[in-house]
Amino acid sequence: MALIGSDGVVAYGVVMYVNYIATGIFNGYSTGIAPVFSYNLGAGNQAEIKSTFRKSLVVIAGFSVFLVAVGLLFARGLAAIFVSYDENLMSLTTEAIRLYGLSFLLCGFNIFAIAYFAALSEGLVSSALSLPRTLVFQLLSVIVLPIVIGSNGIWLSAIVAEILTLVVTVFLLFQKRSTME
């Protein structure tokens, strides 16, 4: 509120609506594919787990690129759905969607990894990714970035949180790779 005022709060609300749709796509895919991993784990079919994992990365990458493109190309239209009554608010919200939308490039991989580990009975690892992603990294980023780079830090905090989560995700995937084979 102190940094960008009530218009910023409204813009943040709009960004969250857009974010719910994007993350809903990733959550839906990840939840839907999880039983395939669990079934193949129980069947001892490591080759199918690896194949499904690789195919899923391609699907997630495709959705990621698509959603970032939508965020960049249609930000103004998305903003207009909610705040077309005020041009200054439209401009702020459009820029916010464009910046925040960059996080869609990475969040799908993190959401998928959380579901992947849960499907392979690695609940602790899944939780070790989920909590920092949604609370710790996001909170730290939204506090620190505006101090460092100004108001755009609010919108870029999501991508920083996703980058940090992806680093942990990749580390855990490599660490667990040998134990899950």
Side-chain angles (χ1 to χ4, degrees), residues 81-152:
I81 294 169
F82 300 97
V83 295
S84 61
Y85 57 87
D86 183 320
E87 185 53 42
N88 289 332
L89 187 52
M90 276 280 293
S91 295
L92 175 62
T93 305
T94 299
E95 183 66 13
I97 291 170
R98 287 187 177 131
L99 292 174
Y100 193 98
L102 296 173
S103 70
F104 303 153
L105 200 55
L106 301 176
C107 76
F109 294 103
N110 292 325
I111 291 168
F112 171 72
I114 290 164
Y116 173 75
F117 281 119
L120 296 182
S121 297
E122 292 283 350
L124 188 59
V125 176
S126 179
S127 296
L129 286 174
S130 185
L131 182 65
R133 177 184 174 265
T134 57
L135 182 65
V136 178
F137 295 151
Q138 186 73 26
L139 188 60
L140 288 174
S141 296
V142 85
I143 291 170
V144 173
L145 281 180
I147 294 168
V148 176
I149 62 173
S151 61
N152 280 341

